[in-house]
Amino acid sequence: MPKYDVVLKTVEPVLVAGRRIIISENLNYPIGLPEAFQEVYAYTKEHRTDPTGCGIAIWYTPVDTTTNEDVEAAVLLKEPMLESERIKVHQLPQVEVASVVHQGRMKDFMQGYQAVLSWIEGNGYEITGPFREVYHKFVGDRMDDVVIEIQFPVAKVDL
């Protein structure tokens, strides 16, 4: 298992354009998520708005769920833009997260999840909201060389 360093940090609020979908079954690959990202990127291009930075998947369903997952494919925006029925523009709030960066093969990606979830439980934190995958480096034909940050919003558990 690769070594993962879990970091506790504050993520500043960001403006995004996103497309929310339901993934009926997600055993090894989130079917529909790449297409949702393509739709968002096409929409921003059509409206002459250049997204900035990384794509972000925002998972509204608990991490242990693998059916009927509610997820949003979002891109960071420099400035507000018009939204549509399917593409919504909104601000992600500032949040404290437990974060880990997976770098390497996509097939090993879930090990990053195991590391951060173990850290959360072992350090007396609880998950407080939707979690995020930030795609720093993700090219569809180079699945052996990805950089994805996993962010879980957390709060210290009061005992």
Side-chain angles (χ1 to χ4, degrees), residues 71-88:
V71 62
E72 180 177 10
V75 297
L76 297 171
L77 296 176
K78 295 176 189 172
E79 58 193 30
M81 64 177 285
L82 293 175
E83 60 183 32
S84 72
E85 186 177 311
R86 292 166 59 102
I87 308 296
K88 302 300 178 190

Side-chain angles (χ1 to χ4, degrees), residues 34-149:
E35 294 81 5
F37 272 111
Q38 290 171 357
E39 184 177 347
V40 174
Y41 278 111
Y43 184 83
T44 59
K45 184 177 181 180
E46 175 185 325
H47 288 82
R48 295 179 175 34
T49 302
D50 290 326
T52 180
C54 310
I56 304 172
I58 305 153
W59 299 85
Y60 296 95
T61 308
V63 68
D64 58 351
T65 302
T66 58
T67 59
N68 298 319
E69 290 179 280
D70 183 2
V71 62
E72 180 177 10
V75 297
L76 297 171
L77 296 176
K78 295 176 189 172
E79 58 193 30
M81 64 177 285
L82 293 175
E83 60 183 32
S84 72
E85 186 177 311
R86 292 166 59 102
I87 308 296
K88 302 300 178 190
V89 176
H90 61 101
Q91 187 168 29
L92 297 178
Q94 176 175 307
V95 64
E96 184 174 37
V97 298
S99 169
V100 70
V101 176
H102 170 78
Q103 184 169 357
R105 300 181 310 183
M106 187 64 188
K107 72 179 192 173
D108 299 329
F109 174 63
M110 292 310 292
Q111 294 174 8
Y113 267 95
Q114 293 167 353
V116 71
L117 291 170
S118 292
W119 185 94
I120 291 168
E121 183 178 334
N123 287 278
Y125 284 85
E126 65 183 356
I127 298 168
T128 59
F131 61 98
R132 304 173 187 177
E133 294 172 359
V134 182
Y135 303 106
H136 295 283
K137 182 179 179 186
F138 191 94
V139 180
D141 61 347
R142 291 192 217 128
M143 299 309 280
D144 286 341
D145 187 24
V146 300
V147 178
I148 304 169
E149 182 179 1

Side-chain angles (χ1 to χ4, degrees), residues 17-34:
R19 166 84 168 98
R20 237 167 134 162
I21 62 170
I22 299 295
I23 297 173
S24 60
E25 188 171 33
N26 182 4
L27 298 177
N28 293 312
Y29 182 78
I31 295 172
L33 189 57

